[in-house]
Amino acid sequence: MREPTYLILTALAPGPRYGYAIIQDVAELSQGSTSLLPGTLYTALDRLAAEGLVELDREERVEGRLRRYYRLTPDGVTALETETARMRRLTTAAEARLRTLRPHTA
Amino acid sequence: MPVTSDPLARRYRRLLVCYPRAYRRERGEELVATLLEAAPPTRVRPTARETTNLIGHGLRARLGRPTSRTVVVWAALAAVVCGLFTASLATRLAWETSRPMPDRAEAAAILADVLPGHEVDGIYVPSGLFEMYGEPLSLNHVDLLMFGEGNEYALSATTASRNGPPPVPVEQAAAVAQQRLRDGGWTVYPVTHNDMYSCAGPPCDPTAIPRDTQLFAKRGDTVLEVNLYPQQYADSTYLAVSLSRATPAAVAPAAIAAGLFGAVAGWLLFGWASRRTQAPHPARRAVNVLFGVTMVLWWSPIAFTAPFAVPHHLDAPHPLPHPLWEWLGQPIFSLFLFTGCATALLGLSLAALPSRKAQPRRVAAA
């Protein structure tokens, strides 16, 4: 799973989000290192929907602008959990090796 | 999508034309709303990054491969090369609107006017506009054309020459010819001088190599080339003249129209094959390989030839630009072109094989 996809799924984990809120969440989660553009976001949402990982939650109109909220499907939650576990294993392994390398700082 | 007077929204909406109509109907309003929310209040036009992003994703969606990161690049490569080849074909066909090469009477009149006192040994009138080894192209030339001698296929010309000692020094003959051409309403191009042969170091002295004098002029649809050579032997040629036709006016519009048609056709064909060969198409890998081979076969002659053609055109006067196909390395590399056509047709045939691929769905339609 590529990092932007992981970040989008993570942004949707607490509950349904609309387009701009997802972009903001992704920027915050990545501490500014990933800045999604709307074209990229909607292409990713199409792909994730085709894979059955996200789905439309509801629509609303705010100040005349259309907002569509998206949520994780059960498969999306599973995919995020699996990827998070895989990354945690990698992180744990990396930390262990770094401790061996620099026991006084790690 | 509702119409708004916000100029930024209007500009974003204009960029969404890159997306298919159905996609715009389904997603356009939401996409513009997100773009507007993400834009700072001072922004009045889309940024270059946003523009590139929307065009790229829109074209991906148009190609029916919204998740492919490189599909637009491949489609552009296919479209451009198809456009160049169809433009070349149209260029050749449009050349048929040209008048025939000057006949003996026309050539003799021009020579008598421009080079008085220079009796030529004979005037050769070609039988066609383009020739290979002095003959119109025929099936007998296929092997020569395909296997390395394609550069012999070129625009013909009515030619004349004179052997023996020049009646006046060649510098004087060139000056008189230039003056008479100007007086006769010809456009005269700067005279150039080139070494008649090359050598490297002793015993040959490169600074002592004799240089020819080359003169180009153009009037209406006639192009004149005069070459004057310093005499080396008693019977060597001192004068060579060629008269040919300028590029017909029909060539540029025909090339542009055919180029656009070819580019669109290439884009659509690529898109069709690309959509058909998404996993789990049985020939997916083979089609990808055949596409790569086709692009290498079609693009490599262009990559090899164009870098030489550009300085060649800039270094010397060209009243008659080389036809488009020569810039593309054709027909000297016609073996590459035809082999590429075969691999392209094979790839398209394999792409037409039935696939059990499920149609992707969009989230908004879910």
Side-chain angles (χ1 to χ4, degrees):
Chain A
M1 189 181 287
R2 294 173 70 96
E3 189 172 296
T5 305
Y6 182 76
L7 289 170
I8 290 170
L9 294 180
T10 307
L12 293 174
R17 293 273 189 285
Y18 68 99
Y20 181 52
I22 298 173
I23 291 173
Q24 284 181 309
D25 265 5
V26 165
E28 192 181 321
L29 285 165
S30 66
Q31 296 179 326
S33 68
T34 299
S35 162
L36 280 183
L37 287 170
T40 309
L41 171 69
Y42 286 105
T43 298
L45 286 175
D46 279 341
R47 179 171 50 79
L48 292 171
E51 292 168 1
L53 303 184
V54 303
E55 62 188 2
L56 185 64
D57 183 75
R58 67 184 189 279
E59 286 183 10
E60 62 184 40
R61 201 165 279 279
V62 178
E63 295 172 357
R65 288 178 182 167
L66 176 65
R67 285 181 180 175
R68 285 196 178 114
Y69 287 76
Y70 302 93
R71 64 170 178 252
L72 290 182
T73 63
D75 282 351
V77 173
T78 306
L80 182 59
E81 284 172 346
T82 306
E83 183 65 12
T84 304
R86 187 186 72 82
M87 289 171 71
R88 188 183 299 118
R89 282 197 303 277
L90 287 175
T91 313
T92 306
E95 281 174 347
R97 294 196 175 202
L98 283 170
R99 267 196 301 276
T100 312
L101 183 68
R102 296 194 300 263
H104 56 287
T105 55
Chain B
M1 242 187 305
V3 175
T4 168
S5 59
D6 182 350
L8 182 60
R10 211 167 47 240
R11 286 174 179 135
Y12 280 137
R13 199 168 297 114
R14 212 174 289 151
L15 281 173
L16 295 195
V17 173
C18 296
Y19 285 85
R21 188 192 298 265
Y23 191 98
R24 289 202 303 273
R25 201 178 299 126
E26 188 178 288
R27 265 287 166 70
E29 188 185 351
E30 181 189 8
L31 197 44
V32 170
T34 305
L35 284 159
L36 290 171
E37 278 196 271
T42 52
R43 184 171 297 166
V44 290
R45 59 185 68 247
T47 63
R49 188 166 167 249
E50 283 175 332
T51 303
T52 312
N53 185 260
L54 290 173
I55 291 173
H57 285 285
L59 293 179
R60 278 194 212 177
R62 274 196 184 275
L63 285 165
R65 298 289 305 274
T67 59
S68 170
R69 291 171 206 281
T70 56
V71 71
V72 174
V73 175
W74 302 124
L77 277 176
V80 170
V81 81
C82 287
L84 288 171
F85 285 139
T86 50
S88 293
L89 183 62
T91 298
R92 177 61 190 90
L93 293 174
W95 258 99
E96 291 302 318
T97 62
S98 166
R99 285 200 296 154
M101 291 298 159
D103 58 18
R104 277 194 178 76
E106 185 182 352
I110 292 171
L111 290 172
D113 186 36
V114 177
L115 296 160
H118 298 267
E119 293 296 326
V120 294
D121 295 328
I123 296 174
Y124 164 76
V125 181
S127 52
L129 285 171
F130 288 87
E131 288 186 332
M132 189 160 187
Y133 289 120
E135 295 173 11
L137 192 65
S138 69
L139 286 176
N140 296 334
H141 296 121
V142 169
D143 56 338
L144 297 173
L145 203 64
M146 298 282 277
F147 296 102
E149 295 185 53
N151 58 329
E152 296 296 333
Y153 178 76
L155 186 67
S156 63
T158 300
T159 56
S161 61
R162 177 70 178 174
N163 294 349
V168 294
V170 291
E171 296 79 10
Q172 185 185 337
V176 169
Q178 285 185 80
Q179 189 55 52
R180 294 185 71 90
L181 284 166
R182 286 196 190 93
D183 294 345
W186 292 75
T187 301
V188 182
Y189 292 79
V191 171
T192 55
H193 302 279
N194 302 295
D195 289 348
M196 290 181 64
Y197 52 85
S198 58
C199 66
C204 171
D205 177 7
T207 61
I209 296 174
R211 308 192 85 200
D212 68 7
T213 300
Q214 192 174 42
L215 173 63
F216 284 104
K218 184 177 170 186
R219 184 175 66 185
D221 67 346
T222 305
V223 174
L224 170 71
E225 179 185 348
V226 178
N227 285 282
L228 291 156
Y229 306 105
Q231 196 176 26
Q232 299 186 73
Y233 310 103
D235 61 345
S236 61
T237 301
Y238 83 86
L239 171 67
V241 180
S242 71
L243 285 157
S244 54
R245 295 301 180 201
T247 307
V251 164
I256 291 169
L260 290 174
F261 172 80
V264 170
W267 177 276
L268 293 175
L269 268 176
F270 174 87
W272 172 82
S274 172
R275 284 190 297 277
R276 280 199 63 85
T277 51
Q278 291 179 83
H281 191 279
R284 183 180 182 219
R285 192 173 297 274
V287 172
N288 286 346
V289 170
L290 286 166
F291 173 74
V293 171
T294 304
M295 287 300 104
V296 169
L297 289 169
W298 284 354
W299 274 107
S300 53
I302 300 173
F304 180 78
T305 309
F308 294 102
V310 173
H312 168 73
H313 260 259
L314 295 176
D315 287 349
H318 273 84
L320 185 60
H322 289 269
L324 179 58
W325 60 82
E326 290 186 10
W327 292 73
L328 310 183
Q330 301 301 333
I332 190 166
F333 292 112
S334 48
L335 184 62
F336 285 57
L337 173 64
F338 287 107
T339 310
C341 289
T343 53
L345 284 174
L346 181 59
L348 289 170
S349 306
L350 290 176
L353 291 174
S355 169
R356 291 185 297 276
K357 180 179 77 67
Q359 291 299 309
R361 62 198 168 91
R362 291 201 184 95
V363 67

